[in-house]
Amino acid sequence: MAERLLAIMDRKHHWAYPALTRPGLRCEQLFVHFRHEYLVYVRDFPVLLARALGNVPPRGDVRRALAENLYEEETGGISKTHGHPELFVRMMEGLGFARDAFDDDDGWLHPDARAYRDALRAKAASEPWQAAVALLTIFVEGSVNERAELAGTFVRPQGDEDVLEHPLVKHYGCSPDAMEIRRAHGKVEGGHRKDAWRMVLANVPERGELAQIVAERCETALEMWHRYRDAVAQRMGLVRERAA
């Protein structure tokens, strides 16, 4: 099961991401990217976790891990900060965007972004609960670094030095004081990754129908995520470079 999910996460990388790590993007391009991220999943991620938690049977270890994740996402209580959606908006203010520019606007979202968002909302509350938990805690919260992080060869950056080297600070003038979300992630996300894999692998057999459902749920999410990211890149006016 672990290898099937890791193979999916190995492909959670989009060709447009490097553009966000270097200078050259216009303000409106950054806005398109970040407003989509916020409205598609950042704002409502605590709610998605709550939906999945509501379907978990009396499995204390799973319920506790999900509840701790939900608590941090909604309140920032573990990292001693604030709710992560709020920290995201503060980061946007640090870039010079107005808070109300991130108000809900369903019609503004690209249709492929809306489709991915709606799928997350539906599948977060769908049985089996193991598939919902894997979708949210492994796929949505995870990254292309999952394999290296589990192997201990990728260490999540933390601290003020990391903030100062962040592309939004280094290239786009975001105030380091507005990057509290980066600091919060550095404090808690490593633990969330361990909890995610422990919850799923302890409750999904290596083979069988349940394993197939879990893998297919995340595989489908990956396909929708790539369509979503392609759509946002197109709206940003980014063009994929041809391989030599």
Side-chain angles (χ1 to χ4, degrees):
M1 188 73 251
E3 182 55 39
R4 293 178 74 179
L5 293 175
L6 284 170
I8 292 170
M9 298 308 295
D10 288 342
R11 290 177 283 143
K12 194 185 179 187
H13 176 73
H14 193 263
W15 59 265
Y17 268 7
L20 295 162
T21 67
R22 56 190 183 224
L25 293 179
R26 301 186 307 277
C27 180
E28 55 267 28
Q29 290 177 299
L30 291 173
F31 180 71
V32 167
H33 169 77
F34 285 114
R35 194 181 190 208
H36 271 95
E37 293 286 272
Y38 182 72
L39 295 178
V40 167
Y41 76 94
V42 171
R43 180 193 60 184
D44 295 326
F45 191 69
V47 176
L48 300 181
L49 288 173
R51 291 179 177 178
L53 176 58
N55 281 335
V56 176
R59 294 296 303 266
D61 55 338
V62 177
R63 286 184 174 181
R64 179 181 178 86
L66 282 176
E68 288 179 348
N69 195 347
L70 169 58
Y71 174 63
E72 170 62 24
E73 290 286 339
E74 184 63 30
T75 72
I78 297 174
S79 61
K80 308 300 181 186
T81 55
H82 297 276
H84 291 207
E86 168 63 19
L87 294 181
F88 186 95
V89 173
R90 293 184 183 185
M91 181 173 67
M92 294 298 97
E93 290 180 314
L95 280 172
F97 298 122
R99 174 176 290 264
D100 60 10
F102 290 83
D103 288 348
D104 200 6
D105 187 352
D106 191 72
W108 179 86
L109 287 174
H110 191 285
D112 287 333
R114 195 180 308 115
Y116 177 58
R117 180 205 63 186
D118 292 348
L120 292 180
R121 290 178 177 180
K123 296 304 182 182
S126 296
E127 297 285 358
W129 65 265
Q130 294 94 330
V133 170
L135 171 67
L136 297 179
T137 66
I138 290 182
F139 181 77
V140 176
E141 283 195 293
S143 73
V144 71
N145 297 314
E146 291 300 292
R147 190 182 295 275
E149 192 157 8
L150 288 179
T153 57
F154 172 80
V155 179
R156 192 173 295 273
Q158 298 184 41
D160 290 340
E161 184 176 347
D162 169 57
V163 168
L164 292 174
E165 288 299 313
H166 192 279
L168 293 185
V169 175
K170 193 172 182 179
H171 303 311
Y172 294 104
C174 185
S175 168
D177 293 339
M179 295 295 293
E180 201 171 10
I181 190 169
R182 181 72 174 187
R183 295 184 177 92
H185 283 166
K187 291 177 182 177
V188 303
E189 289 303 324
H192 286 176
R193 307 313 316 126
K194 293 177 183 177
D195 285 343
W197 286 95
R198 182 168 55 246
M199 284 188 290
V200 173
L201 297 183
N203 291 283
V204 180
E206 187 64 28
R207 295 179 179 83
E209 182 179 5
L210 179 57
Q212 185 67 19
I213 292 171
V214 170
E216 288 179 353
R217 183 79 57 90
C218 292
E219 184 72 44
T220 299
L222 177 67
E223 293 171 2
M224 298 189 75
W225 179 83
H226 271 290
R227 288 197 294 270
Y228 154 55
R229 296 305 327 160
D230 283 345
V232 173
Q234 181 185 43
R235 188 171 284 186
M236 292 172 68
L238 301 179
V239 178
R240 187 172 190 172
E241 297 178 359
R242 291 183 179 272

